[in-house]
Amino acid sequence: MDMALPVVNATAAVLARVSAAFNAPLARAVVFGVHIDGHLVVEGLLIAVIVFQLSRKSYKPPKKPLTEKEIDELCDEWEPEPLCPPIKEGARIDTPMLESAAGPHTIVDGKEVVNFASANYLGLIGNEKIIDSCIGSLEKYGVGSCGPRGFYGTIDVHLDCESKIAKFLGTPDSILYSYGISTIFSVIPAFCKKGDIIVADEGVHWAVQNGLHLSRSTVVYFKHNDMASLASTLEKLTRGNKRAEKIRRYIVVESIYQNSGQIAPLDEIVKLKEKYRFRVILEESHSFGVLGKSGRGLAEHYGVPIEKIDIITAGMGNALATDGGFCTGSVRVVDHQRLSSSGYVFSASLPPYLASAAVSAVNYLEENPSVLANLRSNIALLHKELSDTPGLEITSHVLSPIVFLKLKKSTGSPTTDLDLLETIADKVLKEDSVFIVTSKKSNLDRCKLPIGIRLFVSAGHTESDISRLSSSLKRVSASVLSDY
Amino acid sequence: MVRLPYTTALTTLFSYGLLFAFGQLRDFFRKFVDWFKAKNIKGYAPICLGLEDFYVRRLYLRIQDCFGRPIASAPDSWFDVVERTSNDNNKTLQCTSNTTRCLNLGSYNYLGFAAADEYCTPRVIESLKKYSASTCSVRVDGGTTKLHAELEELAARFVGKPAAILFGMGYVTNSAIIPCLIGKGGLIISDSLNHNSIVNGARGSGATVRVFQHNSPAHLEEVLREQIAGGQPRTHRPWKKIIVIVEGIYSMEGELCKLPEIIAVCKKYKAYTYLDEAHSIGAVGQSGRGVCELLGVDPADVDIMMGTFTKSFGSCGGYIAASKEIIQHLKQSCPAHLYATSMSPPAVQQVISAIKVILGEDGSNRGAQKLARIRENSNFFRSELKKMGFEVLGDNDSPVMPIMLYNPAKIPAFSRECLRQKVAVVTVAFPATPLLLARARICISASHTREDLMKALDVISRVGDLVGIKYFPAEPPKIAEADHDKLE
């Protein structure tokens, strides 16, 4: 009790001194007409404490990396998927094997058949002059060229072939590639980089899709062969876009679509391209040597001057009956590819005998333009005879050498459709010895067009071949599709 | 790996800096000159903007005549190089009708099948007459002939795998196969110096790509552990599958890959292996079966073996060899099999005949002779070059030997001087190699004779002295024995 009193006295004394300090003249100052009392000092101190706390770094729990033992455990537990999915039951594995040249008549699995499965549009397979020039090339140069174009793989026949094709088409220069499909998927990434805009048809084939994917540009698809859809897409992309000067813009179309047999209306495309300032990349694999009065392709067919199309590519494995591909355009376009197109720089060049075959094929086409008339009459005859096939309808253009037949009424699932079509093709081969094929699709292909039967018409087919095909097809499809 | 001495690095950087500065100066003046000329069509963005093609315009065009030299004969051990002239300071080149007969040290002709061969060419011409130059059709439609089936079987047997599938071009083989095997959610780990076709295939597949240090199994293991433990980026889900892609011989380094160690690492972590033998199939190994034979690896341990027929077999095209299920799957889904024209039948026949010669099934021992000769030639040439003081990369037994040049001015100097002395070499600069590491690459062939090699060594030594690329001290010639003889 006696100890409490001095403590109480001491506390009272301290409190008195503190309140005296508070009630000191500083505390009783008048700032801007506001009386400052003691409580304002306390509030000031509180604000200072809050600001101090806010300015400190927040506490983060430290990140503990995985220990070696934990990584070992994770690695042991991890199970990869198998490298390939298991094979589905009943999947078709065998392909028909040819035992002679793939001309209009060929031998398949020991039987002589009429061949509508090779894109031999001008009937040049087995042509004597071409084979002789190949033999000369083989004896002089051997088979392969043993090097890329930059390192002694450029042989004089390549340069001859490039200048021959350029002269034939009327362009300043052209560049040869060593494989048909690698042409388009090397050309597109060479010109289109990240940030560029590409407007492409949704029915383009896998090689074009791969090129578009590798280019990393923004790709917008328009409805298959629909010019109104193309116009509205172009309008949407360019409206209000001020940075359009620096961005490169391209339209990618095929002249004859492999997946449907339609022909792109080049005159309208050129009009749209000039209005909206886009460059056109035209893939002419199936129309080079086929369309036009002298076989010079889609531009001749529509009467469009060739300078208006910026880049033309084509594979030579169709009308020219050889292999490889070419790309042509202005000098700037072709020179740019010699250093920046990956399929040209990093790959061995075309075997020289195929290049001399291409030169001979173009020579033949120049000297015998009547072969185009044969081809056209064959296509017309086929269209006439197949117009009333039960269950199947022709969806390709009347001038297209790929005659595309699809089911009038789809069963609803693509696999059953494919089964039906394959049954028709098998029966036609077995019973009437006519070799036809369906369109096959890879699971990496994102084209949504319907599948069907593709007939490749050649100038070497005779009228009897065509009648044989049409009567057989009508008979078989009547029996197979009678339930649908 | 290459050890770059400091002085060389400094001088090379200085040279590039000088070229860059001059290039910029010329671009600056070009802007004034072009003010009055409308180069580009109004409203269209130019194909290459600004600095995108600076390297091509200002550096590459100066030495354009060292690349893309046309030839007028088969790419055999001696060939005719066409002479070219330029009237506008190398901007464009015109071919003349003169040719020079030169020794060929640049073509990929490892076993000498490049020119017409006594066994192969008659058979190729026969198949040309029978099947014509092309089938004009894809493999699954009407493009498979008996020759294709025969070659697939033969290639599988040659490499040591159950089945194989054929493609018409080596580049397409890589870019179209990798997307079929792996997709989004998978991981590809590839060597940092892999070929452009593998990079394109990996990019086209949609899988995540990681790179490991060139030829380093330790770093590969590190990357594997980190990736398996971490899982997919952001979601951390486990990877669906992992494929490790390596090459047999790296064409710019001449090195063999450390295959046994890499296979051991992959097996431990359950990753699949993909071996690209473009340069090594047919060229190395006791019977020409590639790096697996040379390094003693069982082909069953490698999941997928890929190769091309361009280099050692004198033809074109590529193949993939793997188990029957994988090949079946590829035949049904690979776009290159379903959409691309099948390989030209004469080219297929050339490969069949070449493989038969190598295996000795043609009734002679030319195959064994060729294999022995290329091994001898490569080892002899490499050891002689090293003795002379050149910096040569690559391992023993590899027929590819790069000689380091470094300085950009030495590239055209070496190339043009060698051509003047009738030896044709290949020089490689940026972007195929890193900027500071320009080199000249020699490819030895089985058809080079000992005299050819001696001539080549003589010319390269003289040009090397002139250009100054003997970075190492040369071994002194053997005078001791001569003195010893004199004493006796």
Side-chain angles (χ1 to χ4, degrees):
Chain A
M1 267 311 265
D2 357 319
M3 277 190 295
L5 200 54
V7 172
V8 168
N9 282 345
T11 330
V14 165
L15 269 176
R17 216 172 297 152
V18 165
S19 45
F22 269 136
N23 294 330
L26 180 68
R28 233 183 266 136
V30 176
V31 180
F32 300 128
V34 176
H35 286 264
I36 294 190
D37 287 319
H39 69 94
L40 280 175
V41 182
V42 176
E43 280 156 14
L45 270 174
L46 266 174
I47 293 179
V49 167
I50 291 173
V51 168
F52 172 65
Q53 289 285 45
L54 280 177
S55 64
R56 278 174 49 160
K57 267 191 13 212
S58 59
Y59 169 74
K60 272 201 194 86
K63 246 199 222 157
K64 276 205 312 208
L66 296 170
T67 63
E68 289 301 313
K69 191 153 155 298
E70 285 170 341
I71 297 183
D72 281 334
E73 275 174 29
L74 282 168
C75 293
D76 283 332
E77 276 175 16
W78 179 68
E79 274 304 320
E81 280 179 8
L83 200 49
C84 66
I87 303 295
K88 284 196 278 272
E89 278 298 322
R92 286 159 195 280
I93 312 169
D94 299 319
T95 53
M97 203 166 325
L98 265 67
E99 291 167 23
S100 76
H105 291 261
T106 182
I107 303 177
V108 171
D109 292 332
K111 231 175 18 163
E112 167 131 4
V113 299
V114 181
N115 183 8
F116 278 92
S118 297
N120 173 22
Y121 302 134
L122 300 176
L124 289 175
I125 290 187
N127 183 298
E128 283 300 323
K129 277 219 194 89
I130 296 185
I131 294 193
D132 283 336
S133 73
C134 285
I135 293 181
S137 242
L138 282 171
E139 285 175 347
K140 185 171 179 201
Y141 300 109
V143 176
S145 60
C146 296
R149 286 293 289 261
F151 301 149
Y152 304 109
T154 308
I155 306 186
D156 45 9
V157 284
H158 292 139
L159 301 173
D160 287 339
C161 187
E162 287 178 356
S163 61
K164 178 93 207 161
I165 290 179
K167 237 193 323 222
F168 180 68
L169 281 176
T171 53
D173 202 1
S174 72
I175 177 174
L176 267 186
Y177 284 84
S178 45
Y179 204 44
I181 61 169
S182 77
T183 314
I184 188 65
F185 75 61
S186 305
V187 165
I188 295 183
F191 290 102
C192 314
K193 310 276 188 231
K194 193 161 182 173
D196 294 340
I197 298 181
I198 306 182
V199 176
D201 188 301
E202 64 180 11
V204 288
H205 65 275
W206 174 81
V208 182
Q209 293 166 23
N210 195 25
L212 295 173
H213 177 74
L214 286 173
S215 70
R216 301 205 264 202
S217 319
T218 331
V219 183
V220 181
Y221 289 98
F222 66 92
K223 282 219 238 332
H224 179 55
N225 222 16
D226 183 348
M227 289 299 110
S229 167
L230 174 60
S232 67
T233 320
L234 292 176
E235 176 67 46
K236 245 194 310 201
L237 284 171
T238 50
R239 194 185 331 144
N241 198 346
K242 290 294 176 214
R243 286 178 53 244
E245 293 294 309
K246 286 279 176 83
I247 308 179
R248 295 173 279 245
R249 291 158 290 174
Y250 297 92
I251 301 177
V252 176
V253 284
E254 288 179 46
S255 55
I256 297 184
Y257 292 92
Q258 270 182 17
N259 290 330
S260 69
Q262 297 288 332
I263 297 187
L266 190 63
D267 46 357
E268 292 177 42
I269 294 180
V270 167
K271 276 204 214 85
L272 284 171
K273 148 202 145 115
E274 289 183 329
K275 179 170 170 203
Y276 292 102
R277 305 267 190 256
F278 274 61
R279 286 194 169 98
V280 169
I281 300 182
L282 183 64
E283 221 284 287
E284 284 217 71
S285 294
H286 292 271
S287 68
F288 180 73
V290 171
L291 290 180
K293 209 157 29 88
S294 51
R296 285 181 164 81
L298 197 63
E300 192 186 22
H301 175 75
Y302 276 103
V304 171
I306 196 94
E307 301 81 46
K308 297 221 169 173
I309 310 179
D310 305 276
I311 304 172
I312 299 178
T313 68
M316 303 197 286
N318 304 310
L320 294 184
T322 170
D323 207 350
F326 67 86
C327 175
T328 181
S330 66
V331 174
R332 180 85 182 90
V333 159
V334 171
D335 273 341
H336 177 76
Q337 286 173 61
R338 293 205 195 267
L339 281 173
S340 50
S341 169
S342 28
Y344 180 82
V345 172
F346 293 109
S347 166
S349 53
L350 186 64
Y353 75 96
L354 290 173
S356 36
V359 172
S360 319
V362 176
N363 280 338
Y364 179 87
L365 183 56
E366 280 186 322
E367 290 161 15
N368 308 340
S370 57
V371 68
L372 292 166
N374 285 353
L375 176 61
R376 253 166 263 168
S377 63
N378 282 350
I379 301 174
L381 183 59
L382 192 60
H383 267 261
K384 199 169 70 148
E385 301 216 1
L386 286 179
S387 53
D388 55 350
T389 317
L392 296 172
E393 58 176 351
I394 302 184
T395 55
S396 57
H397 195 272
V398 293
L399 287 174
S400 148
I402 306 179
V403 176
F404 200 88
L405 294 157
K406 77 169 174 71
L407 291 168
K408 271 204 186 107
K409 231 175 3 133
S410 160
T411 55
S413 102
T415 21
T416 10
D417 279 350
L418 185 61
D419 275 334
L420 278 176
L421 294 167
E422 297 259 356
T423 326
I424 296 181
D426 281 341
K427 280 196 140 160
V428 166
L429 178 62
K430 279 205 192 57
E431 296 170 12
D432 293 310
S433 297
V434 177
F435 185 26
I436 61 175
V437 284
T438 58
S439 58
K440 315 270 189 313
K441 228 190 257 201
S442 157
N443 53 4
L444 295 177
D445 190 352
R446 37 176 300 189
C447 168
K448 302 278 189 304
L449 295 180
I451 49 169
I453 295 184
R454 271 197 300 205
L455 303 170
F456 295 94
V457 184
S458 159
H461 284 130
T462 58
E463 281 194 23
S464 62
D465 292 334
I466 299 196
S467 337
R468 206 161 127 189
L469 164 67
S470 52
S471 56
S472 158
L473 198 52
K474 280 195 258 223
R475 192 178 57 81
V476 171
S477 59
S479 72
V480 170
L481 296 176
S482 54
D483 313 326
Y484 293 89
Chain B
M1 290 305 258
V2 189
R3 306 173 326 258
L4 187 57
Y6 273 127
T7 42
T8 322
L10 280 171
T11 48
T12 314
L13 273 170
F14 176 71
S15 308
Y16 273 111
L18 202 65
L19 285 166
F20 184 76
F22 266 100
Q24 291 283 46
L25 199 68
R26 291 176 86 152
D27 271 352
F28 182 67
F29 283 116
R30 173 62 48 182
K31 265 213 211 75
F32 284 127
V33 174
D34 278 350
W35 199 278
F36 307 105
K37 283 197 269 170
K39 258 297 180 59
N40 287 314
I41 326 164
K42 206 59 220 309
Y44 290 89
I47 287 184
C48 280
L49 292 164
L51 286 183
E52 273 177 5
D53 63 343
F54 179 79
Y55 177 79
V56 171
R57 271 181 299 122
R58 296 299 173 204
L59 271 72
Y60 177 82
L61 282 184
R62 285 167 180 264
I63 56 173
Q64 210 197 143
D65 61 310
C66 301
F67 303 101
R69 289 186 180 143
I71 65 178
S73 71
D76 202 10
S77 53
W78 283 86
F79 61 177
D80 297 322
V81 178
V82 174
E83 286 167 19
R84 296 186 291 179
T85 53
S86 168
N87 336 351
D88 52 1
N89 213 10
N90 254 5
K91 275 218 200 78
T92 56
L93 295 162
Q94 280 81 32
C95 293
T96 62
S97 48
N98 297 335
T99 59
T100 349
R101 190 123 186 107
C102 297
L103 178 65
N104 182 1
L105 291 179
S107 294
Y108 302 138
N109 178 22
Y110 300 136
L111 292 179
F113 283 111
D117 183 80
E118 58 192 13
Y119 179 79
C120 302
T121 311
R123 287 172 177 71
V124 170
I125 294 185
E126 212 182 285
S127 73
L128 172 70
K129 290 198 185 124
K130 184 171 180 203
Y131 290 103
S132 177
S134 165
T135 56
C136 291
S137 177
V138 302
R139 278 296 297 275
V140 284
D141 284 347
T144 309
T145 61
K146 276 187 128 165
L147 288 177
H148 292 98
E150 193 186 330
L151 179 56
E152 285 184 349
E153 229 178 301
L154 191 57
R157 187 159 58 92
F158 184 66
V159 165
K161 285 293 229 180
I165 178 176
L166 225 55
F167 296 97
M169 181 185 176
Y171 188 94
V172 162
T173 312
N174 272 331
S175 0
I177 286 291
I178 299 181
C180 281
L181 295 172
I182 191 169
K184 214 154 130 49
L187 174 68
I188 296 180
I189 307 184
S190 87
D191 191 293
S192 57
L193 295 178
N194 267 342
H195 190 251
N196 186 275
S197 54
I198 298 179
V199 171
N200 261 351
R203 223 183 272 165
S205 67
T208 319
V209 182
R210 291 276 177 269
V211 160
F212 71 94
Q213 262 172 34
H214 174 60
N215 233 359
S216 150
H219 192 242
L220 172 63
E221 181 161 7
E222 223 180 277
V223 171
L224 270 169
R225 285 170 71 84
E226 187 192 321
Q227 290 300 324
I228 298 181
Q232 296 186 28
R234 289 174 57 227
T235 55
H236 295 291
R237 287 201 199 108
W239 294 107
K240 290 204 182 130
K241 50 184 125 159
I242 300 185
I243 300 188
V244 175
I245 307 186
V246 288
E247 286 188 34
I249 292 185
Y250 291 93
S251 57
M252 288 299 158
E253 319 286 316
E255 277 178 359
L256 296 163
C257 103
K258 294 200 178 107
L259 198 57
E261 294 91 347
I262 292 183
I263 302 274
V265 168
C266 289
K267 273 196 160 153
K268 184 167 159 206
Y269 292 95
K270 293 178 255 173
Y272 299 112
T273 36
Y274 182 108
L275 178 63
D276 176 337
E277 289 212 79
H279 284 265
S280 52
I281 189 75
V284 293
Q286 192 69 19
S287 60
R289 289 183 153 93
V291 278
C292 285
E293 194 181 12
L294 186 68
L295 299 175
V297 172
D298 185 10
D301 285 340
V302 181
D303 294 294
I304 300 168
M305 296 175 66
M306 176 263 176
T308 61
F309 299 125
T310 329
K311 281 102 188 174
S312 311
F313 304 96
S315 173
C316 64
Y319 69 88
I320 297 261
S323 69
K324 280 207 167 62
E325 291 83 30
I326 299 182
I327 298 292
Q328 209 94 289
H329 167 72
L330 289 175
K331 281 194 170 159
Q332 287 180 323
S333 66
C334 176
H337 194 248
L338 296 173
Y339 298 126
T341 322
S342 65
M343 194 164 152
S344 167
V348 178
Q349 178 62 46
Q350 162 78 12
V351 183
I352 295 178
S353 315
I355 295 186
K356 290 219 169 98
V357 170
I358 295 176
L359 288 176
E361 287 173 11
D362 63 327
S364 73
N365 67 342
R366 277 174 64 220
Q369 276 177 3
K370 281 182 195 275
L371 287 165
R373 248 210 316 270
I374 186 174
R375 205 175 19 249
E376 239 178 75
N377 283 353
S378 322
N379 290 338
F380 169 70
F381 206 77
R382 180 175 266 117
S383 58
E384 288 297 313
L385 283 177
K386 283 199 168 135
K387 274 195 227 159
M388 283 194 242
F390 289 102
E391 182 165 357
V392 183
L393 307 179
D395 300 329
N396 269 334
D397 279 349
S398 145
V400 177
M401 40 200 94
I403 303 177
M404 297 308 296
L405 297 172
Y406 299 119
N407 201 302
K410 297 187 181 173
I411 304 170
F414 188 76
S415 180
R416 289 172 189 157
E417 193 55 41
C418 278
L419 189 63
R420 232 169 270 155
Q421 317 234 3
K422 311 262 193 304
V423 170
V425 293
V426 160
T427 44
V428 200
F430 185 78
T433 59
L435 187 66
L436 299 180
L437 304 175
R439 60 200 72 176
R441 186 182 67 177
I442 312 251
C443 291
I444 297 291
S445 154
S447 55
H448 284 136
T449 60
R450 197 39 88 94
E451 293 84 50
D452 294 336
L453 295 181
M454 297 305 293
K455 174 181 161 74
L457 283 167
D458 182 43
V459 167
I460 292 180
S461 179
R462 265 186 286 134
V463 176
D465 280 327
L466 208 64
V467 169
I469 49 177
K470 291 190 176 168
Y471 293 108
F472 292 141
E475 271 182 28
K478 298 200 187 309
I479 326 169
E481 285 176 56
D483 282 345
H484 198 73
D485 286 337
K486 260 202 248 160
L487 283 172
E488 302 219 64

